[in-house]
Amino acid sequence: MFYVPDGTTRCGYYECKSCGNRFLDIKIGPVLVCPYCGEEPDMEIGPDEEMPQISEDAKLVKMLEGEEEIEKYDQLLSLAVTGGDYNWI
Ligand SMILES: [Zn+2]
């Protein structure tokens, strides 16, 4: 598994509207902070600094259930990341 741990039986398939990346995440939610272009909040920010903008740009496209289905998407997305053909959608 590339995106989620082995043995995951339920995860979300997300697409980021900012950078277009697609990924799987074990966290389930209608939107997530994109792991590619989003930033987690920085808790050590000083009082004079501007608050970082947290944008949850990755939208849930589909819930995936069952190890087989997750593994299939995981492999296809991994191929896309490594330059494979991803016209499968
Ligand atoms: Zn993104």
Side-chain angles (χ1 to χ4, degrees), residues 16-21 34-38 57-58:
C16 175
K17 65 177 157 62
S18 290
C19 66
N21 268 304
C34 174
Y36 300 99
C37 68
D57 282 333

